[in-house]
Each structure stands twice: as structure tokens, then as C-alpha cells.
Amino acid sequence: MAELARIRTPLLDIAYEHRGPTGGIPVILLHGFPYDVRGYDDAVALINEAGFRTIVPYLRGYGPTRFLSQETVRSGQQGALGHDLLDLMDALRIEKAVVAGYDWGGRAACVVSALWPERVHGLVSCTGYNIQDLTKATTPVTPEQEARQWYQYYFHTERGRNGLVQNRAGISKLLWTMWSPSWDFDDATFARSAPSFDNEDFVDVVVHSYMHRTASVAGDPIYDFVEERLAAQPKIDVPTIVLHGADDGVGPVKGSENHGRHFTGPYERRVIAGAGHNVPQEKPQEFADAVLQLCKTASA
């Protein structure tokens, strides 16, 4: 069984699960919204069996992870998520790791891979290049995609915020269903993740994340230097495998078809049949295979 541990970074007391040989190449697995570390259980077992160490943190606003100060902005912006990953690596004294994630976690992994490539052996990113182009924050996308993002605009309103406060589990379960239409998860599977959404900062972080990406709210100034670098849409030159669920209900598979232009190192894109948005939990073998390919390349 994975062990739960805690580590302090400059802003957070991060809870994380770790398992596997301490001498092996570390693999950091990052969950998204509205999911948690349970999404990696099966993939972790496969990665550990192959001889590699896994570290699976609860992101800010999820599970037992807590802010150290009431004064810290409950930001969900990409710069914060990426820097949290960097801070975690520093606190754990991890010089270099394979980083992998989906949704918010994939974004954090892409940010560190782009801005601090010397810290990354390889990247597995679900749905492609996940760094937001905030220079186009007020530019609408297709009506079909705007409709898929209904929840983001809902959270912009006081009604939506109250909805998330009062029914965070119901909204999250609905999104699981909509985003992964071919995933027949049961109530027990969802119930294992739902307690992570009861974190006292969950609503604030989620609302800020979705308002920040449309330029509807300011970011935390301490991440201005990160956001300035991300505004240039930096290339990623670490070895990368992109996984995209063929049935993704929020980020259709065609969305990553041309993402290869963002990667200058070894790059491969795999469309995962029968998977939706939550590839690690829906198809753990395919996800673990991608991680292990990068681990073995790094250790060769």
C-alpha cells in the first residue's frame, strides 16, 4: 500500500502518497479537477512493479493538502500549479523526475517541463500541450467547445459558486460522467475520491482557476514572473508522450492533433481507444506503459 506523507513548501503543507524503491527514478503523478490521487491507484501498482518510485500529491485545495497562511491567495492559476510542483520537488530533494498528469495536473507537468526542463526526465501529458494561452483569454472558441465548458462559466457566478459549495460531489460526479462517457465507474469508485473535494479551500481554488483563465480575475502577483514566461507559449523539449482519450467529452481528441508543434524533443501522441478524460484511471495499463517507456529511456 502507498504511504501518506506530508511535506512543507513555502506556501503549502502538501499531502502525498509515495511507494516504491527510494533509489529508483521518481515518477510524480498529478491529478486534475474534479479528481484526486485515487485515480492513479492501478497505474501506481504497475509502475512500482517495474521498479520505479511514485509520488502522488493532492493538489492545492484537495484532500489533506493545506495552505500555511490564511493570507495566501487561494489561486488555481496555471503558474501556481506549476510552481507547486517545482516546490514539491525542491522540498523532497528530487533533482529530476518523470512527471505525468491530466487536466490541472497535466498543466502543472507541462509548466515545469517547459520552464524548468533540467528537472524533468520525461513528460506524459493527457490531451497534449496544456499550457493556457492567456493572451487569448477573452477570445471565444467554437460554440460547441464553449458549450462543453459550461461549468467554467457557471463557476463565474455567485449562483455557480453556491452550487459548488452545496453540491460539490454532485457536480463532480456529473462531470465524470460527461467527460468519460465510455467509463462505467460505480458509486464506490467515485466515493473513494469525493472526500478530497471537502477541503476547505476547494471552492476558492476551483473558482479562481476558472475565472483566471478568462481574465475575469487577477492572478496571485507572486506568480507574475511565471505567467509572463508562459504567455510566450514556451516549447517543451523534454521527451514527451501525449495520451488522448478517444472518447474525451470535454477536450475532443482532434484538439491535440497539431500539438506536436509545441514540442521540440522526442515526441509521440497516442489516441487511447475506449478512454475519456481520466486516462490514468480508465486505462491504467496504457498510461503506465507511457510512463515506463520514459523511465526506461531515462535510466538507459
Side-chain angles (χ1 to χ4, degrees):
M1 295 292 292
E3 295 181 39
L4 181 66
R6 313 187 74 96
I7 192 76
R8 285 199 168 197
T9 65
L11 297 181
L12 299 172
D13 180 27
I14 296 179
Y16 66 97
E17 293 187 356
H18 63 106
R19 187 179 178 210
T22 56
I25 288 177
V27 177
I28 304 178
L29 305 170
L30 301 139
H31 69 82
F33 165 84
Y35 305 95
D36 83 331
V37 302
R38 298 279 66 80
Y40 283 111
D41 285 347
D42 291 338
V44 158
L46 295 167
I47 295 167
N48 295 152
E49 286 171 8
F52 298 98
R53 175 188 178 196
T54 52
I55 296 149
V56 191
Y58 289 87
L59 300 189
R60 55 169 56 201
Y62 293 79
T65 290
R66 293 291 184 271
F67 287 88
L68 298 178
S69 170
Q70 290 297 323
E71 304 304 313
T72 303
V73 178
R74 270 43 178 177
S75 172
Q77 69 193 93
Q78 61 181 353
L81 300 175
H83 214 281
D84 285 350
L85 172 55
L86 184 69
D87 287 343
L88 174 66
M89 295 177 70
D90 287 345
L92 293 174
R93 298 181 180 179
I94 295 174
E95 182 178 344
K96 203 167 186 177
V98 169
V99 295
Y102 63 104
D103 200 85
W104 289 19
R107 183 161 300 117
C110 282
V111 168
V112 171
S113 297
L115 300 187
W116 297 280
E118 70 279 2
R119 306 297 296 273
V120 178
H121 285 299
L123 165 69
V124 176
S125 177
C126 297
T127 69
Y129 182 84
N130 280 312
I131 297 174
Q132 297 157 344
D133 185 357
L134 297 183
T135 65
K136 298 178 180 176
T138 60
T139 302
V141 292
T142 66
E144 292 82 4
Q145 188 58 30
E146 297 282 10
R148 294 183 190 101
Q149 296 172 179
W150 66 269
Y151 62 98
Q152 301 188 20
Y153 308 121
Y154 181 52
F155 297 153
H156 278 52
T157 68
E158 195 61 25
R159 179 186 178 102
R161 182 187 181 85
N162 290 338
L164 191 58
V165 168
Q166 296 170 24
N167 197 15
R168 63 193 76 189
I171 290 172
S172 298
K173 191 173 184 180
L174 174 63
L175 294 177
W176 280 31
T177 301
M178 296 179 73
W179 296 354
S180 298
S182 53
W183 182 29
D184 187 23
F185 66 89
D186 57 20
D187 289 343
T189 298
F190 180 77
R192 285 192 286 271
S193 289
S196 288
F197 313 144
D198 292 330
N199 183 300
E200 62 190 17
D201 298 306
F202 176 77
V203 172
D204 287 342
V205 172
V206 169
V207 169
H208 185 272
S209 175
Y210 291 112
M211 293 188 72
H212 182 265
R213 66 187 65 189
T214 59
S216 300
V217 68
D220 185 338
I222 68 171
Y223 301 114
D224 284 352
F225 77 102
V226 179
E227 297 291 355
E228 287 171 6
R229 295 179 66 189
L230 296 177
Q233 294 285 274
K235 306 286 188 184
I236 293 175
D237 64 6
V238 304
T240 298
I241 299 174
V242 163
L243 304 178
H244 207 141
D247 303 328
D248 194 317
V250 66
V253 68
K254 67 181 298 182
S256 65
E257 285 179 348
N258 297 318
H259 280 201
R261 69 186 187 277
H262 295 292
F263 300 89
T264 56
Y267 171 80
E268 182 181 353
R269 175 178 178 267
R270 302 175 185 174
V271 175
I272 309 301
H277 194 59
N278 182 7
V279 173
Q281 196 163 8
E282 297 175 60
K283 298 292 182 180
Q285 184 67 64
E286 288 85 342
F287 183 85
D289 286 345
V291 169
L292 291 174
Q293 179 176 321
L294 294 175
C295 288
K296 291 169 182 175
T297 298
S299 59

